[in-house]
Amino acid sequence: MGLELYLDLLSQPCRALYIFAKCNNIPFEFKPVELMKGQHRTEDFRKVNVLMKVPALRDGSFTLAESIAILLYLTRKFKTPDHWYPSDLQKRAKVDEYLSWQHVNIRGKGSKFFLTKVLLPLVTGQPLPLEKLEGVTEELNVVLKQFEEKFLQDKPFIAGSEVSLADLVALVELMQPVGAGYDLFEERPKLAEWRSRVEEAVGKKLFQEAHEEILKAKNLTAEKIAPELMEHFKHHLLKLACQN
């Protein structure tokens, strides 16, 4: 049995893994897990990841969850080019620093925007009140400013002159609000130029392929969500919206 990656490309970490594996010619079998259909909650998938989340990896009898752990596993197993996770101590530390920071910041705020703008109206039948959406947008804008000032600065990429895992993880996360209709690159030239460099580094065609579904997310309808997930989503999303 070869390497298997269990992915749904609506998910940011799944897209990072898909792009990374493809652009590094890592052989894998793409095992689709459709979150909206509840396929991550089946007994078959629980055998791969008892946490019932994507992405997940199976390599023979070995299984692994958590996207960052999987990315690092792939860099080591397939000895990918050094720039992805540099051997230089300080460059690697910069990658680690971003990957440690991003979970509750870029990922947290970008995901919150997507969930409240796209999914919440589907499960409740009404959009988020404008003042709530403005609050969620402002939270995202704060971390975008931090990202530019702390992590990007005036460098081509987060760790210096070459693309790394940090850049790939960052960009797929920033595409989630874009999929919800917020073009956060439009008035941020530094961020837009960085995005172009990252896309060029991984291959524009591959990047577009991985983001085809998320960029159509505004067209999602409630019928596409498994009925048994509706209440689960509704409880989670209303709780999230109340945090503002």
Side-chain angles (χ1 to χ4, degrees):
M1 185 186 297
L3 181 73
E4 299 174 341
L5 292 177
Y6 293 76
L7 310 170
D8 184 334
L9 296 185
L10 283 177
S11 155
Q12 311 92 296
C14 289
R15 295 197 298 273
L17 276 169
Y18 180 83
I19 292 169
F20 182 75
K22 286 275 192 177
C23 78
N24 284 286
N25 298 310
I26 294 172
F28 71 96
E29 183 179 354
F30 183 172
K31 306 287 277 188
V33 180
E34 293 189 56
L35 297 173
M36 294 300 173
K37 292 184 178 178
Q39 292 177 355
H40 57 302
R41 298 164 69 88
T42 65
E43 283 305 310
D44 281 346
F45 185 66
R46 277 178 58 86
K47 294 172 186 175
V48 181
N49 184 6
V50 71
L51 301 176
M52 297 186 292
K53 293 182 177 181
V54 290
L57 169 150
R58 179 153 58 188
D59 190 3
S61 60
F62 176 72
T63 59
L64 191 63
E66 298 301 322
S67 58
I68 302 303
I70 296 171
L71 283 166
L72 295 179
Y73 178 81
L74 295 179
T75 65
R76 292 158 179 155
K77 176 174 174 113
F78 294 96
K79 298 179 173 60
T80 55
D82 186 74
H83 62 83
W84 286 111
Y85 195 55
S87 53
D88 178 90
L89 179 64
Q90 293 186 354
K91 288 182 179 179
R92 177 173 289 196
K94 284 298 181 185
V95 175
D96 289 338
E97 180 184 41
Y98 176 76
L99 295 178
S100 299
W101 175 82
Q102 61 99 22
H103 294 284
V104 297
N105 293 285
I106 292 293
R107 175 163 175 73
K109 307 310 180 187
S111 295
K112 185 175 180 179
F113 183 92
F114 178 84
L115 292 171
T116 53
K117 180 73 183 297
V118 176
L119 281 188
L120 185 62
L122 293 184
V123 299
T124 63
Q126 51 189 324
L128 190 69
L130 183 58
E131 65 273 14
K132 289 277 190 182
L133 185 59
E134 287 174 349
V136 172
T137 305
E138 181 54 30
E139 286 182 357
L140 176 57
N141 289 339
V142 167
V143 296
L144 289 174
K145 188 172 187 290
Q146 292 172 345
F147 175 71
E148 286 192 284
E149 292 180 351
K150 162 66 179 168
F151 294 96
L152 196 53
Q153 300 176 8
D154 293 318
K155 300 170 295 183
F157 299 101
I158 292 171
S161 59
E162 294 183 280
V163 72
S164 71
L165 292 179
D167 299 284
L168 177 57
V169 169
L171 186 51
V172 296
E173 293 291 347
L174 295 185
M175 293 302 293
Q176 208 74 357
V178 174
Y182 177 34
D183 187 355
L184 51 85
F185 299 99
E186 190 174 19
E187 296 181 3
R188 295 180 175 86
K190 180 189 291 189
L191 211 56
E193 290 166 10
W194 165 78
R195 171 187 174 176
S196 293
R197 288 192 292 270
V198 178
E199 285 191 33
E200 193 68 40
V202 302
K204 287 185 179 292
K205 185 177 180 182
L206 172 60
F207 189 84
Q208 289 166 359
E209 173 194 329
H211 286 82
E212 186 176 349
E213 288 303 312
I214 195 62
L215 293 177
K216 296 188 294 188
K218 296 189 295 295
N219 301 325
L220 274 173
T221 59
E223 293 74 30
K224 294 181 180 179
I225 303 175
E228 62 270 22
L229 289 182
M230 290 295 280
E231 278 306 309
H232 170 77
F233 277 148
K234 186 174 182 179
H235 174 76
H236 172 71
L237 292 169
L238 287 173
K239 184 178 177 182
L240 187 68
C242 288
Q243 292 173 4
N244 253 58

